[in-house]
Amino acid sequence: MSMEIDIPVTAAARRDMEANREEALDDDGLPRRTGTVWTASAHIITAVIGSGVLSLAWAMAQLGWAAGSVSLVLFSVITLYTSSLLADCYRTGDPCNGTRNYTYMAAVKSNLGGTKLWLCGLSQYVNLFGVSIGYTITASLSLAAIVKSNCYHWKGREADCSVPTSLFMVGFGMVQIFMSQLQNFHKLWWLSIVAALMSFCYSFIGVGLSAKSVISGEIGETSITGTVVGVDVTAAEKIWKSFQALGNIAFAYSYSLILIEIQDTLRSPAENKVMKRATVVGVAVTTVFYILCGCLGYVAFGNKAPGNMLTGFGFYEPFWLIDIANICIVVHLLGAYQVFSQPLFAVIELRIAQWFPNSNLLNHERPIVINNRLGFSVNGFRLAWRTGFVITSTTLAIIMPFFNEVLAFLGALGFWPLTVYFPIEMYIAQKGVARFSTEWVFLKCLSFVCFLISVIAACASIQGVIASLKHFSPFHTRF
Protein backbone atom coordinates (compact mmCIF):
# COMPACT_ATOMS: atom_id res chain seq x y z
CA MET A 1 0.00 0.00 0.00
CA SER A 2 1.37 3.39 -0.91
CA MET A 3 0.52 6.77 0.44
CA GLU A 4 0.82 10.04 -1.48
CA ILE A 5 1.47 13.18 0.54
CA ASP A 6 0.70 16.59 -0.99
CA ILE A 7 3.29 19.15 0.00
CA PRO A 8 1.93 22.68 -0.27
CA VAL A 9 3.96 25.03 -2.48
CA THR A 10 4.12 28.63 -1.39
CA ALA A 11 3.74 31.48 -3.86
CA ALA A 12 7.39 32.45 -3.32
CA ALA A 13 8.55 28.89 -4.03
CA ARG A 14 6.41 28.78 -7.15
CA ARG A 15 7.97 32.04 -8.39
CA ASP A 16 11.43 30.63 -7.77
CA MET A 17 10.56 27.50 -9.74
CA GLU A 18 9.28 29.59 -12.65
CA ALA A 19 12.41 31.76 -12.54
CA ASN A 20 14.62 28.67 -12.61
CA ARG A 21 12.73 27.31 -15.60
CA GLU A 22 13.13 30.63 -17.42
CA GLU A 23 16.83 30.72 -16.62
CA ALA A 24 17.20 27.28 -18.21
CA LEU A 25 15.90 28.62 -21.52
CA ASP A 26 17.33 31.02 -24.07
CA ASP A 27 15.48 33.95 -25.60
CA ASP A 28 14.05 31.69 -28.34
CA GLY A 29 12.57 29.22 -25.84
CA LEU A 30 15.14 26.51 -26.53
CA PRO A 31 17.41 25.01 -23.82
CA ARG A 32 20.10 27.48 -22.81
CA ARG A 33 23.22 27.23 -24.94
CA THR A 34 26.45 26.73 -23.03
CA GLY A 35 29.16 26.96 -25.70
CA THR A 36 32.28 29.08 -25.12
CA VAL A 37 35.10 30.44 -27.22
CA TRP A 38 37.05 27.24 -26.54
CA THR A 39 34.30 24.82 -27.53
CA ALA A 40 33.65 26.83 -30.70
CA SER A 41 37.39 26.87 -31.48
CA ALA A 42 37.48 23.10 -31.07
CA HIS A 43 34.51 22.72 -33.46
CA ILE A 44 36.25 24.90 -36.05
CA ILE A 45 39.54 23.00 -35.85
CA THR A 46 37.69 19.69 -36.08
CA ALA A 47 35.68 20.88 -39.10
CA VAL A 48 38.64 22.34 -41.01
CA ILE A 49 41.30 19.66 -40.49
CA GLY A 50 40.35 16.76 -42.73
CA SER A 51 41.16 15.09 -46.03
CA GLY A 52 42.18 18.43 -47.56
CA VAL A 53 45.42 18.33 -45.55
CA LEU A 54 46.60 15.35 -47.59
CA SER A 55 47.06 17.41 -50.77
CA LEU A 56 48.95 20.39 -49.32
CA ALA A 57 52.45 19.02 -49.97
CA TRP A 58 51.49 18.52 -53.63
CA ALA A 59 50.02 22.03 -53.76
CA MET A 60 53.26 23.48 -52.37
CA ALA A 61 55.24 21.57 -55.01
CA GLN A 62 53.18 23.12 -57.81
CA LEU A 63 53.42 26.67 -56.45
CA GLY A 64 56.88 26.64 -54.83
CA TRP A 65 58.05 28.27 -51.62
CA ALA A 66 57.04 31.82 -52.57
CA ALA A 67 53.54 31.43 -54.01
CA GLY A 68 52.75 28.35 -51.91
CA SER A 69 53.51 29.94 -48.54
CA VAL A 70 51.73 33.17 -49.51
CA SER A 71 48.67 31.22 -50.69
CA LEU A 72 48.38 29.26 -47.44
CA VAL A 73 48.49 32.48 -45.41
CA LEU A 74 46.30 34.47 -47.81
CA PHE A 75 43.50 31.91 -47.87
CA SER A 76 43.56 31.80 -44.06
CA VAL A 77 43.34 35.61 -43.86
CA ILE A 78 40.43 35.72 -46.33
CA THR A 79 38.64 32.91 -44.47
CA LEU A 80 39.20 34.68 -41.14
CA TYR A 81 37.89 38.00 -42.45
CA THR A 82 34.77 36.68 -44.21
CA SER A 83 34.02 34.44 -41.22
CA SER A 84 33.95 37.52 -39.00
CA LEU A 85 31.43 39.09 -41.40
CA LEU A 86 29.35 35.93 -41.34
CA ALA A 87 29.39 35.87 -37.53
CA ASP A 88 27.54 39.22 -37.54
CA CYS A 89 24.75 37.60 -39.58
CA TYR A 90 23.78 35.04 -36.93
CA ARG A 91 21.13 37.45 -35.64
CA THR A 92 18.95 39.60 -37.84
CA GLY A 93 18.59 43.08 -36.38
CA ASP A 94 20.09 43.72 -32.96
CA PRO A 95 23.40 41.78 -32.48
CA CYS A 96 22.34 40.73 -28.96
CA ASN A 97 18.55 40.41 -29.12
CA GLY A 98 17.72 40.06 -32.80
CA THR A 99 16.09 37.03 -34.42
CA ARG A 100 18.39 34.01 -34.48
CA ASN A 101 19.33 32.30 -37.75
CA TYR A 102 19.99 28.66 -36.95
CA THR A 103 21.58 27.68 -40.29
CA TYR A 104 23.56 29.23 -43.15
CA MET A 105 20.49 29.07 -45.39
CA ALA A 106 18.33 30.75 -42.74
CA ALA A 107 20.83 33.62 -42.53
CA VAL A 108 20.78 34.06 -46.32
CA LYS A 109 16.96 33.93 -46.34
CA SER A 110 16.56 36.60 -43.64
CA ASN A 111 19.24 38.93 -45.04
CA LEU A 112 18.98 38.46 -48.81
CA GLY A 113 16.10 36.19 -49.80
CA GLY A 114 14.74 35.90 -53.33
CA THR A 115 17.01 34.67 -56.11
CA LYS A 116 20.10 34.75 -53.90
CA LEU A 117 18.50 32.25 -51.53
CA TRP A 118 17.91 29.91 -54.46
CA LEU A 119 21.50 30.35 -55.66
CA CYS A 120 22.80 29.68 -52.16
CA GLY A 121 20.78 26.48 -51.94
CA LEU A 122 22.05 25.37 -55.33
CA SER A 123 25.68 26.07 -54.37
CA GLN A 124 25.29 24.36 -51.02
CA TYR A 125 23.63 21.18 -52.25
CA VAL A 126 25.79 20.76 -55.36
CA ASN A 127 28.78 21.12 -53.04
CA LEU A 128 27.37 18.47 -50.69
CA PHE A 129 26.84 16.08 -53.59
CA GLY A 130 30.37 16.75 -54.85
CA VAL A 131 31.80 16.01 -51.41
CA SER A 132 30.20 12.54 -51.50
CA ILE A 133 32.09 11.84 -54.74
CA GLY A 134 35.34 13.20 -53.35
CA TYR A 135 35.06 11.15 -50.17
CA THR A 136 34.36 7.97 -52.14
CA ILE A 137 37.53 8.55 -54.17
CA THR A 138 39.66 9.34 -51.12
CA ALA A 139 38.43 6.35 -49.10
CA SER A 140 38.99 3.92 -51.98
CA LEU A 141 42.53 5.21 -52.55
CA SER A 142 43.28 4.67 -48.86
CA LEU A 143 41.92 1.11 -48.98
CA ALA A 144 44.06 0.42 -52.05
CA ALA A 145 47.08 2.00 -50.31
CA ILE A 146 46.70 -0.42 -47.38
CA VAL A 147 46.92 -3.39 -49.75
CA LYS A 148 49.86 -1.86 -51.62
CA SER A 149 51.86 -0.92 -48.52
CA ASN A 150 51.75 -4.52 -47.27
CA CYS A 151 52.65 -5.78 -50.74
CA TYR A 152 55.67 -3.44 -50.97
CA HIS A 153 56.79 -4.44 -47.48
CA TRP A 154 56.78 -8.16 -48.18
CA LYS A 155 57.68 -8.24 -51.90
CA GLY A 156 59.92 -5.18 -52.24
CA ARG A 157 59.43 -1.77 -53.81
CA GLU A 158 60.04 -3.03 -57.33
CA ALA A 159 57.15 -5.49 -57.20
CA ASP A 160 53.95 -4.89 -59.17
CA CYS A 161 51.55 -4.09 -56.34
CA SER A 162 49.00 -2.12 -58.35
CA VAL A 163 45.34 -2.75 -57.54
CA PRO A 164 42.05 -1.62 -59.13
CA THR A 165 40.33 1.08 -57.06
CA SER A 166 36.91 0.47 -58.62
CA LEU A 167 36.24 -2.56 -56.44
CA PHE A 168 37.03 -0.56 -53.29
CA MET A 169 34.65 2.17 -54.44
CA VAL A 170 31.88 -0.36 -54.97
CA GLY A 171 32.50 -1.76 -51.47
CA PHE A 172 32.50 1.72 -49.93
CA GLY A 173 29.26 2.51 -51.78
CA MET A 174 27.58 -0.66 -50.50
CA VAL A 175 28.37 0.31 -46.91
CA GLN A 176 26.99 3.83 -47.56
CA ILE A 177 23.75 2.39 -48.99
CA PHE A 178 23.15 0.71 -45.64
CA MET A 179 24.24 3.73 -43.56
CA SER A 180 22.08 6.10 -45.62
CA GLN A 181 18.95 4.24 -44.46
CA LEU A 182 19.60 5.21 -40.83
CA GLN A 183 16.85 7.79 -40.47
CA ASN A 184 18.10 9.23 -37.16
CA PHE A 185 21.74 9.43 -38.17
CA HIS A 186 22.07 12.87 -36.56
CA LYS A 187 21.56 11.24 -33.14
CA LEU A 188 24.77 9.23 -33.51
CA TRP A 189 26.77 11.99 -31.82
CA TRP A 190 29.62 9.62 -31.03
CA LEU A 191 30.29 9.15 -34.73
CA SER A 192 31.33 12.80 -35.09
CA ILE A 193 33.75 12.41 -32.19
CA VAL A 194 35.27 9.29 -33.77
CA ALA A 195 35.56 11.04 -37.14
CA ALA A 196 37.29 14.03 -35.54
CA LEU A 197 39.77 11.78 -33.72
CA MET A 198 40.51 9.90 -36.95
CA SER A 199 41.17 13.12 -38.89
CA PHE A 200 43.62 14.32 -36.24
CA CYS A 201 45.29 10.91 -36.16
CA TYR A 202 46.07 10.62 -39.88
CA SER A 203 46.99 14.30 -40.12
CA PHE A 204 49.52 14.01 -37.31
CA ILE A 205 50.91 10.80 -38.82
CA GLY A 206 51.45 12.65 -42.12
CA VAL A 207 53.20 15.53 -40.35
CA GLY A 208 55.25 13.11 -38.24
CA LEU A 209 56.44 11.07 -41.21
CA SER A 210 57.38 14.25 -43.07
CA ALA A 211 59.30 15.55 -40.04
CA LYS A 212 61.10 12.20 -39.73
CA SER A 213 62.25 12.42 -43.36
CA VAL A 214 63.48 15.98 -42.89
CA ILE A 215 65.36 15.13 -39.67
CA SER A 216 66.97 12.06 -41.25
CA GLY A 217 68.07 14.07 -44.28
CA GLU A 218 65.90 12.16 -46.77
CA ILE A 219 64.60 15.25 -48.55
CA GLY A 220 63.62 16.15 -52.08
CA GLU A 221 64.62 19.00 -54.34
CA THR A 222 62.62 22.18 -53.74
CA SER A 223 62.65 25.64 -55.30
CA ILE A 224 61.15 29.11 -54.99
CA THR A 225 58.85 28.49 -57.96
CA GLY A 226 58.11 24.79 -57.43
CA THR A 227 58.04 22.25 -60.24
CA VAL A 228 60.46 23.08 -63.06
CA VAL A 229 59.19 23.55 -66.62
CA GLY A 230 60.95 21.15 -68.96
CA VAL A 231 62.07 18.89 -66.11
CA ASP A 232 59.03 18.06 -64.00
CA VAL A 233 56.22 19.48 -66.14
CA THR A 234 55.52 21.19 -69.43
CA ALA A 235 54.73 24.92 -69.53
CA ALA A 236 51.00 24.21 -69.95
CA GLU A 237 51.00 21.67 -67.10
CA LYS A 238 52.76 24.17 -64.85
CA ILE A 239 50.01 26.73 -65.33
CA TRP A 240 47.09 24.30 -64.96
CA LYS A 241 48.51 22.50 -61.95
CA SER A 242 49.34 25.77 -60.20
CA PHE A 243 45.69 26.82 -60.54
CA GLN A 244 44.62 23.36 -59.37
CA ALA A 245 46.80 23.82 -56.29
CA LEU A 246 44.84 26.95 -55.38
CA GLY A 247 41.65 24.89 -55.47
CA ASN A 248 43.23 22.26 -53.20
CA ILE A 249 44.19 24.94 -50.65
CA ALA A 250 40.71 26.49 -50.85
CA PHE A 251 39.17 23.07 -50.15
CA ALA A 252 41.38 22.63 -47.09
CA TYR A 253 40.04 25.86 -45.55
CA SER A 254 36.35 25.39 -46.31
CA TYR A 255 34.18 25.45 -43.19
CA SER A 256 32.00 28.56 -43.58
CA LEU A 257 29.03 26.37 -44.45
CA ILE A 258 28.73 25.24 -40.81
CA LEU A 259 29.89 28.44 -39.08
CA ILE A 260 26.34 29.56 -38.23
CA GLU A 261 25.57 26.12 -36.77
CA ILE A 262 28.68 26.34 -34.58
CA GLN A 263 27.73 29.86 -33.47
CA ASP A 264 24.27 28.57 -32.51
CA THR A 265 25.92 26.54 -29.72
CA LEU A 266 27.32 29.64 -27.94
CA ARG A 267 25.85 31.09 -24.79
CA SER A 268 24.22 34.53 -24.91
CA PRO A 269 24.73 37.43 -25.16
CA ALA A 270 27.00 38.77 -27.95
CA GLU A 271 27.52 35.45 -29.72
CA ASN A 272 29.10 37.30 -32.65
CA LYS A 273 31.96 38.63 -30.52
CA VAL A 274 32.66 35.21 -29.03
CA MET A 275 32.48 33.59 -32.47
CA LYS A 276 34.98 36.07 -33.87
CA ARG A 277 37.45 35.24 -31.10
CA ALA A 278 36.88 31.52 -31.68
CA THR A 279 37.46 31.99 -35.40
CA VAL A 280 40.79 33.70 -34.73
CA VAL A 281 41.89 30.81 -32.51
CA GLY A 282 40.58 28.08 -34.82
CA VAL A 283 41.92 29.48 -38.08
CA ALA A 284 45.28 30.40 -36.51
CA VAL A 285 45.82 26.89 -35.14
CA THR A 286 44.70 25.35 -38.44
CA THR A 287 46.98 27.64 -40.47
CA VAL A 288 50.02 26.75 -38.36
CA PHE A 289 49.18 23.06 -38.77
CA TYR A 290 48.68 23.44 -42.54
CA ILE A 291 51.95 25.32 -42.96
CA LEU A 292 53.74 22.57 -41.03
CA CYS A 293 52.08 19.87 -43.10
CA GLY A 294 52.51 21.58 -46.47
CA CYS A 295 56.05 22.81 -45.90
CA LEU A 296 57.40 19.68 -44.19
CA GLY A 297 55.76 17.54 -46.84
CA TYR A 298 57.31 19.67 -49.58
CA VAL A 299 60.77 19.43 -48.00
CA ALA A 300 60.39 15.67 -47.63
CA PHE A 301 59.21 15.01 -51.20
CA GLY A 302 60.40 18.06 -53.12
CA ASN A 303 58.91 18.74 -56.53
CA LYS A 304 57.98 15.05 -56.80
CA ALA A 305 55.44 15.32 -53.98
CA PRO A 306 52.53 12.88 -54.49
CA GLY A 307 48.97 14.15 -54.84
CA ASN A 308 48.01 12.44 -51.58
CA MET A 309 50.90 12.25 -49.12
CA LEU A 310 49.58 9.05 -47.47
CA THR A 311 48.57 7.10 -50.59
CA GLY A 312 51.12 8.35 -53.14
CA PHE A 313 53.94 6.29 -51.59
CA GLY A 314 56.40 8.96 -50.87
CA PHE A 315 56.50 6.99 -47.59
CA TYR A 316 56.98 3.21 -47.61
CA GLU A 317 58.00 2.49 -44.03
CA PRO A 318 56.98 1.89 -41.36
CA PHE A 319 54.27 0.15 -43.36
CA TRP A 320 52.11 -0.53 -40.29
CA LEU A 321 51.95 3.17 -39.44
CA ILE A 322 50.93 4.00 -43.01
CA ASP A 323 48.24 1.32 -42.74
CA ILE A 324 46.96 2.87 -39.50
CA ALA A 325 46.82 6.31 -41.12
CA ASN A 326 44.82 5.01 -44.08
CA ILE A 327 42.48 3.04 -41.83
CA CYS A 328 41.84 6.29 -39.96
CA ILE A 329 41.05 8.02 -43.26
CA VAL A 330 38.52 5.33 -44.20
CA VAL A 331 36.82 5.39 -40.78
CA HIS A 332 36.69 9.20 -40.88
CA LEU A 333 35.14 9.28 -44.35
CA LEU A 334 32.59 6.55 -43.59
CA GLY A 335 30.95 8.94 -41.12
CA ALA A 336 31.79 12.19 -42.89
CA TYR A 337 30.04 10.98 -46.07
CA GLN A 338 26.77 10.75 -44.13
CA VAL A 339 27.34 14.02 -42.26
CA PHE A 340 27.43 15.83 -45.61
CA SER A 341 24.76 13.70 -47.35
CA GLN A 342 22.04 13.67 -44.68
CA PRO A 343 21.16 17.40 -45.05
CA LEU A 344 20.64 16.81 -48.77
CA PHE A 345 18.53 13.74 -48.06
CA ALA A 346 16.38 15.74 -45.64
CA VAL A 347 15.76 18.62 -48.06
CA ILE A 348 14.70 16.39 -50.95
CA GLU A 349 12.47 14.21 -48.77
CA LEU A 350 10.82 17.25 -47.18
CA ARG A 351 10.04 18.72 -50.60
CA ILE A 352 8.60 15.46 -51.92
CA ALA A 353 6.51 15.03 -48.75
CA GLN A 354 5.07 18.55 -49.24
CA TRP A 355 4.14 17.72 -52.84
CA PHE A 356 2.62 14.30 -52.04
CA PRO A 357 1.46 14.45 -48.39
CA ASN A 358 -0.83 11.39 -48.66
CA SER A 359 1.53 9.05 -50.50
CA ASN A 360 1.84 5.59 -48.92
CA LEU A 361 5.24 5.24 -50.55
CA LEU A 362 6.47 8.19 -48.47
CA ASN A 363 4.58 7.65 -45.23
CA HIS A 364 4.57 3.89 -44.72
CA GLU A 365 7.45 2.80 -42.48
CA ARG A 366 8.49 -0.83 -42.25
CA PRO A 367 10.42 -1.57 -39.02
CA ILE A 368 13.49 -3.78 -39.24
CA VAL A 369 14.72 -5.05 -35.88
CA ILE A 370 18.23 -6.50 -35.73
CA ASN A 371 18.23 -7.13 -32.00
CA ASN A 372 16.71 -5.64 -28.84
CA ARG A 373 18.93 -2.55 -29.01
CA LEU A 374 19.53 -2.07 -32.73
CA GLY A 375 16.94 -1.48 -35.40
CA PHE A 376 15.63 1.00 -37.94
CA SER A 377 12.76 1.49 -40.33
CA VAL A 378 12.62 1.90 -44.09
CA ASN A 379 10.08 3.10 -46.59
CA GLY A 380 9.98 2.62 -50.34
CA PHE A 381 10.84 6.16 -51.39
CA ARG A 382 13.72 6.62 -48.95
CA LEU A 383 15.17 3.26 -49.90
CA ALA A 384 14.99 4.00 -53.64
CA TRP A 385 16.11 7.65 -53.51
CA ARG A 386 18.99 7.30 -51.08
CA THR A 387 20.23 4.14 -52.76
CA GLY A 388 20.08 5.93 -56.12
CA PHE A 389 22.05 8.84 -54.66
CA VAL A 390 24.84 6.57 -53.39
CA ILE A 391 24.95 4.61 -56.66
CA THR A 392 25.21 7.85 -58.65
CA SER A 393 28.01 9.29 -56.52
CA THR A 394 29.87 5.95 -56.58
CA THR A 395 29.53 5.66 -60.36
CA LEU A 396 30.89 9.18 -60.89
CA ALA A 397 33.78 8.39 -58.53
CA ILE A 398 34.58 5.26 -60.55
CA ILE A 399 34.51 7.26 -63.79
CA MET A 400 36.66 10.11 -62.39
CA PRO A 401 38.87 8.74 -59.56
CA PHE A 402 41.25 11.71 -59.61
CA PHE A 403 42.03 12.92 -56.10
CA ASN A 404 43.65 16.33 -56.68
CA GLU A 405 41.42 17.35 -59.56
CA VAL A 406 38.18 16.55 -57.72
CA LEU A 407 39.34 18.24 -54.50
CA ALA A 408 40.36 21.32 -56.49
CA PHE A 409 36.94 21.47 -58.14
CA LEU A 410 35.16 21.12 -54.78
CA GLY A 411 37.39 23.83 -53.31
CA ALA A 412 36.62 26.17 -56.19
CA LEU A 413 32.92 25.35 -56.05
CA GLY A 414 32.59 26.23 -52.38
CA PHE A 415 35.19 28.95 -51.88
CA TRP A 416 33.77 31.98 -53.67
CA PRO A 417 30.00 31.54 -53.20
CA LEU A 418 29.90 30.10 -49.67
CA THR A 419 33.08 31.47 -48.06
CA VAL A 420 33.21 34.91 -49.69
CA TYR A 421 30.20 36.06 -51.75
CA PHE A 422 27.23 35.37 -49.47
CA PRO A 423 28.95 36.49 -46.22
CA ILE A 424 29.91 39.77 -47.93
CA GLU A 425 26.46 40.32 -49.45
CA MET A 426 24.71 39.56 -46.14
CA TYR A 427 27.04 41.91 -44.27
CA ILE A 428 26.41 44.72 -46.78
CA ALA A 429 22.64 44.21 -46.55
CA GLN A 430 22.53 43.96 -42.76
CA LYS A 431 24.89 46.83 -41.99
CA GLY A 432 23.53 49.03 -44.75
CA VAL A 433 26.98 49.68 -46.25
CA ALA A 434 26.64 52.68 -48.56
CA ARG A 435 27.01 51.96 -52.26
CA PHE A 436 30.40 53.10 -53.67
CA SER A 437 31.72 53.88 -50.19
CA THR A 438 35.31 52.83 -49.42
CA GLU A 439 34.15 49.77 -47.49
CA TRP A 440 31.68 48.79 -50.24
CA VAL A 441 34.33 49.06 -52.96
CA PHE A 442 36.81 47.02 -50.89
CA LEU A 443 34.28 44.25 -50.22
CA LYS A 444 33.18 44.08 -53.86
CA CYS A 445 36.79 43.97 -55.08
CA LEU A 446 37.62 41.20 -52.64
CA SER A 447 34.60 39.24 -53.82
CA PHE A 448 35.57 39.71 -57.49
CA VAL A 449 39.18 38.62 -56.95
CA CYS A 450 38.01 35.50 -55.10
CA PHE A 451 35.52 34.83 -57.90
CA LEU A 452 38.38 34.85 -60.41
CA ILE A 453 40.41 32.47 -58.22
CA SER A 454 37.46 30.07 -58.04
CA VAL A 455 36.89 30.22 -61.79
CA ILE A 456 40.50 29.51 -62.75
CA ALA A 457 40.76 26.73 -60.13
CA ALA A 458 37.54 25.14 -61.43
CA CYS A 459 38.74 25.39 -65.05
CA ALA A 460 42.09 23.86 -64.11
CA SER A 461 40.44 20.96 -62.30
CA ILE A 462 38.15 20.27 -65.27
CA GLN A 463 41.15 20.39 -67.61
CA GLY A 464 42.98 17.98 -65.28
CA VAL A 465 40.06 15.53 -65.34
CA ILE A 466 39.86 15.68 -69.14
CA ALA A 467 43.62 15.10 -69.45
CA SER A 468 43.54 12.19 -66.99
CA LEU A 469 40.59 10.53 -68.72
CA LYS A 470 42.74 10.09 -71.84
CA HIS A 471 44.85 7.57 -69.95
CA PHE A 472 42.16 6.03 -67.76
CA SER A 473 39.70 3.20 -68.26
CA PRO A 474 37.16 2.44 -65.50
CA PHE A 475 37.54 -1.05 -63.96
CA HIS A 476 40.78 -1.59 -65.93
CA THR A 477 43.28 1.08 -64.88
CA ARG A 478 45.09 0.06 -61.71
CA PHE A 479 46.30 2.33 -58.88
Side-chain angles (χ1 to χ4, degrees):
M1 183 176 177
S2 63
M3 182 180 295
E4 295 183 357
I5 300 175
D6 291 330
I7 301 176
V9 179
T10 65
R14 187 176 292 107
R15 285 196 299 270
D16 289 340
M17 292 170 61
E18 292 293 335
N20 289 334
R21 277 197 292 267
E22 290 178 2
E23 288 178 1
L25 300 176
D26 262 327
D27 57 332
D28 58 350
L30 295 178
R32 185 168 295 281
R33 297 156 177 85
T34 58
T36 65
V37 63
W38 301 113
T39 60
S41 299
H43 286 314
I44 293 170
I45 294 169
T46 301
V48 176
I49 295 179
S51 58
V53 74
L54 303 173
S55 66
L56 293 181
W58 180 87
M60 285 291 296
Q62 310 315 308
L63 297 169
W65 285 117
S69 302
V70 170
S71 296
L72 284 172
V73 174
L74 191 59
F75 273 94
S76 71
V77 171
I78 292 173
T79 301
L80 180 62
Y81 178 68
T82 57
S83 295
S84 69
L85 301 183
L86 186 56
D88 286 331
C89 300
Y90 171 66
R91 288 183 183 266
T92 301
D94 187 271
C96 294
N97 300 309
T99 304
R100 294 176 186 264
N101 298 306
Y102 302 111
T103 64
Y104 192 104
M105 285 283 287
V108 173
K109 181 178 181 179
S110 64
N111 288 287
L112 300 175
T115 304
K116 291 181 179 179
L117 175 63
W118 184 86
L119 291 174
C120 178
L122 180 64
S123 300
Q124 182 175 347
Y125 297 124
V126 169
N127 191 268
L128 293 176
F129 176 66
V131 166
S132 70
I133 299 171
Y135 283 179
T136 302
I137 295 170
T138 307
S140 66
L141 291 176
S142 291
L143 288 168
I146 293 170
V147 175
K148 289 181 69 174
S149 68
N150 286 272
C151 175
Y152 283 132
H153 176 74
W154 296 111
K155 297 183 179 180
R157 299 182 186 180
E158 303 304 321
D160 181 12
C161 295
S162 59
V163 292
T165 59
S166 302
L167 295 178
F168 293 112
M169 292 184 188
V170 171
F172 184 82
M174 292 176 67
V175 174
Q176 293 301 338
I177 287 175
F178 168 74
M179 293 181 69
S180 67
Q181 300 306 315
L182 301 178
Q183 193 173 7
N184 294 323
F185 189 87
H186 64 281
K187 293 183 179 179
L188 302 180
W189 54 268
W190 54 268
L191 194 61
S192 294
I193 296 176
V194 171
L197 292 174
M198 293 299 103
S199 65
F200 275 107
C201 184
Y202 67 70
S203 298
F204 277 112
I205 289 174
V207 172
L209 290 173
S210 298
K212 174 180 173 292
S213 295
V214 173
I215 293 171
S216 64
E218 300 174 4
I219 60 176
E221 183 179 347
T222 64
S223 68
I224 294 295
T225 57
T227 51
V228 180
V229 175
V231 177
D232 304 306
V233 291
T234 65
E237 287 175 339
K238 176 68 176 178
I239 295 172
W240 287 120
K241 289 186 176 181
S242 295
F243 291 155
Q244 249 184 64
L246 295 177
N248 285 156
I249 296 173
F251 179 81
Y253 276 106
S254 58
Y255 89 100
S256 296
L257 191 61
I258 60 171
L259 183 145
I260 296 292
E261 283 85 346
I262 294 174
Q263 191 168 344
D264 190 46
T265 67
L266 298 177
R267 65 165 61 108
S268 302
E271 302 93 347
N272 61 332
K273 294 180 180 179
V274 177
M275 191 65 199
K276 288 176 183 180
R277 292 199 296 271
T279 300
V280 171
V281 174
V283 174
V285 171
T286 303
T287 301
V288 171
F289 186 83
Y290 279 1
I291 290 174
L292 280 174
C293 193
C295 293
L296 285 175
Y298 183 38
V299 173
F301 301 127
N303 294 334
K304 302 296 184 182
N308 183 327
M309 68 189 304
L310 290 175
T311 63
F313 289 94
F315 303 118
Y316 289 90
E317 298 290 345
F319 79 101
W320 56 269
L321 186 59
I322 296 168
D323 287 352
I324 290 175
N326 282 293
I327 290 171
C328 289
I329 293 173
V330 174
V331 173
H332 172 211
L333 297 183
L334 280 171
Y337 183 105
Q338 290 298 321
V339 169
F340 281 89
S341 299
Q342 289 284 334
L344 186 55
F345 293 160
V347 167
I348 297 299
E349 288 159 18
L350 178 62
R351 290 293 185 186
I352 297 298
Q354 290 174 342
W355 294 339
F356 305 101
N358 300 318
S359 172
N360 288 330
L361 187 65
L362 295 172
N363 299 321
H364 179 67
E365 295 284 341
R366 183 180 182 85
I368 297 178
V369 180
I370 299 175
N371 56 42
N372 292 334
R373 300 184 64 182
L374 182 61
F376 60 98
S377 62
V378 297
N379 68 34
F381 175 75
R382 189 167 64 247
L383 179 63
W385 138 246
R386 295 190 181 190
T387 300
F389 174 92
V390 175
I391 291 174
T392 302
S393 64
T394 303
T395 302
L396 290 174
I398 291 172
I399 295 172
M400 301 179 296
F402 313 121
F403 177 76
N404 293 99
E405 290 84 352
V406 172
L407 252 61
F409 185 75
L410 293 175
L413 196 65
F415 175 63
W416 176 70
L418 300 175
T419 301
V420 179
Y421 175 74
F422 286 111
I424 285 178
E425 292 299 311
M426 285 191 286
Y427 176 81
I428 290 174
Q430 189 171 69
K431 300 299 181 181
V433 179
R435 192 177 180 85
F436 298 115
S437 64
T438 302
E439 185 179 16
W440 186 91
V441 171
F442 168 76
L443 291 171
K444 290 292 186 178
C445 288
L446 175 62
S447 180
F448 180 70
V449 170
C450 292
F451 169 74
L452 292 180
I453 292 173
S454 286
V455 169
I456 61 177
C459 291
S461 65
I462 293 171
Q463 186 277 336
V465 169
I466 294 172
S468 298
L469 284 173
K470 295 178 182 178
H471 311 288
F472 175 77
S473 177
F475 294 104
H476 293 91
T477 302
R478 299 167 70 87
F479 165 68

